[in-house]
Amino acid sequence: GLARLLTEQKPKIGKIFLLFQPAEEDGEGAKAIFSDPKFKPLKPDYIFAFHNLPGYPLNQIVVKNNSFTAGVKSIIIQIHGKTAHAAEPENGLNPALAIAEILQESAKLSNNDPNRDDFTLITPIHIEMGEIAYGISAGYGEVRLTIRTWDEYNMEKLTNELISCIKEAAANHNMPITYSWTHEFYANQNDDVAVSLIKEAASSLSFDFSKENFLLNGEKILDCSHKILKELCLVLAQVKKVRHFTIRIMISLMKFYQLAFNSSIKLVYKFYHENIPYFILGNQQVRVRTQPSIFKKLYW
């Protein structure tokens, strides 16, 4: 598409490079590109990145000034305790309370409001402790978290605060705790001139251009998901063999927790009166029952 068009209609001034980023999901591809000697001599004046964004009309252009995506990195926390007989846990070092303290204290560091410049988010991803052996008090635990901020200043600040939580838990529970970082992504800070160029190009070609702040557009994403979910369930309701059905929907970029909660409650009421086959629709805060059907559970 674009490569062929540029070949047929070469720009009169300057050069255009098409860059296809490898390993986009774990952040290693961007690092590899920046460290590649072949990339350094290019010195582009502007870099324009394209990515899909759910909840918007097809072919609509969505762009905004300042931060577009948050900086993200993940931490692996390893708690090195000591096993003991389950009847004598005092002879060992069980990591359970250290894990609980890390989770509770790190949660206090989150300021999950994407519209604030000091937005911070710490999300628990995975927890592991001991083994399924009822005679043994666990001696090892592992916690994996992701942390997000809008800029590098707040990322460094949040990183230091989280490390302090880890060190304090190690001291409080008298056990070694180590940590390492993985899957690091820098925040995308849009250049004002580049944003203006995109808007000008979109206008000149009569493209539909979103004038909304996409951070406030969680309702649109949820509405889109609801429509898809409704159609899916109506289709599956015709399949008599379906006896158990679970759907998990995640909004990965921003966590519209309160918005999702409020919208889900409205959705339950609406679907109840339309007699759509839902049994349970809920989240961690609430479960609301509607009329039973072939669907045993539906989690939002």
Side-chain angles (χ1 to χ4, degrees):
L2 179 58
R4 179 178 296 176
L5 181 64
L6 291 173
T7 301
E8 296 171 352
Q9 304 177 23
K10 295 182 180 179
K12 297 179 180 180
I13 301 175
K15 294 181 179 180
I16 297 176
F17 295 93
L18 297 183
L19 177 63
F20 298 89
Q21 180 182 332
E24 181 263 345
E25 290 297 334
D26 62 12
E28 294 300 316
K31 288 182 180 179
I33 290 171
F34 277 113
S35 60
D36 192 326
K38 295 180 181 178
F39 181 78
K40 292 180 180 178
L42 298 181
K43 300 186 184 304
D45 297 301
Y46 296 100
I47 297 178
F48 297 95
F50 294 86
H51 203 287
N52 64 309
L53 191 62
Y56 289 85
L58 184 65
N59 297 325
Q60 187 177 70
I61 308 299
V62 182
V63 68
K64 65 183 291 290
N65 295 86
N66 305 317
S67 300
F68 195 90
T69 57
V72 185
K73 62 180 181 178
S74 302
I75 187 171
I76 303 170
I77 306 168
Q78 297 175 306
I79 300 96
H80 306 275
K82 180 183 176 183
T83 57
H85 194 283
E88 300 175 332
E90 67 275 9
N91 293 329
L93 290 172
N94 193 302
L97 294 180
I99 291 174
E101 180 177 329
I102 291 171
L103 292 175
Q104 289 177 332
E105 294 303 315
S106 63
K108 297 176 183 178
L109 302 176
S110 284
N111 168 28
N112 190 15
D113 182 355
N115 299 296
R116 291 179 53 164
D117 292 336
D118 61 348
F119 158 77
T120 57
L121 179 62
I122 298 182
T123 307
I125 302 299
H126 179 78
I127 301 172
E128 178 184 352
M129 189 187 81
E131 56 184 290
I132 304 176
Y134 295 101
I136 301 175
S137 175
Y140 174 80
E142 190 170 292
V143 179
R144 296 176 184 243
L145 311 171
T146 61
I147 69 175
R148 285 172 165 82
T149 67
W150 278 134
D151 53 48
E152 295 309 310
Y153 169 78
N154 283 299
M155 177 61 76
E156 184 177 357
K157 182 173 179 283
L158 183 60
T159 297
N160 292 332
E161 290 172 341
L162 180 57
I163 291 173
S164 295
C165 285
I166 295 170
K167 291 180 177 179
E168 188 170 345
N172 290 342
H173 301 280
N174 193 30
M175 63 181 67
I177 301 181
T178 59
Y179 60 88
S180 59
W181 297 95
T182 184
H183 288 61
E184 298 188 42
F185 299 83
Y186 290 105
N188 283 333
Q189 300 288 336
N190 281 344
D191 179 79
D192 289 340
V193 176
V195 170
S196 298
L197 291 173
I198 292 174
K199 291 180 178 180
E200 182 180 341
S203 298
S204 65
L205 295 172
S206 300
F207 273 104
D208 183 19
F209 185 83
S210 174
K211 296 180 174 60
E212 299 178 75
N213 182 348
F214 83 95
L215 293 178
L216 300 176
N217 210 27
E219 187 73 51
K220 183 176 290 186
I221 295 176
L222 289 168
D223 181 62
C224 177
S225 299
H226 292 167
K227 290 177 181 177
I228 295 172
L229 189 60
K230 176 180 175 179
E231 292 300 318
L232 178 61
C233 290
L234 287 173
V235 170
L236 288 172
Q238 308 304 316
V239 183
K240 302 301 182 182
K241 293 182 180 180
V242 175
R243 286 291 178 266
H244 182 81
F245 192 64
T246 301
I247 291 181
R248 296 173 184 268
I249 297 180
M250 296 180 64
I251 303 174
S252 59
L253 180 59
M254 293 301 156
K255 306 295 182 182
F256 295 97
Y257 287 138
Q258 191 61 44
L259 182 58
F261 174 78
N262 293 337
S263 185
S264 295
I265 298 304
K266 295 175 185 177
L267 191 67
V268 171
Y269 182 82
K270 176 183 176 184
F271 284 175
Y272 177 83
H273 288 280
E274 291 181 4
N275 293 318
I276 294 176
Y278 284 76
F279 180 46
I280 294 178
L281 177 64
N283 59 12
Q284 294 178 348
Q285 296 171 294
V286 67
R287 288 184 178 181
V288 180
R289 294 177 181 271
T290 70
Q291 293 179 343
S293 71
I294 62 171
F295 295 103
K296 297 297 183 184
K297 289 183 179 180
L298 179 65
Y299 290 112
W300 176 263

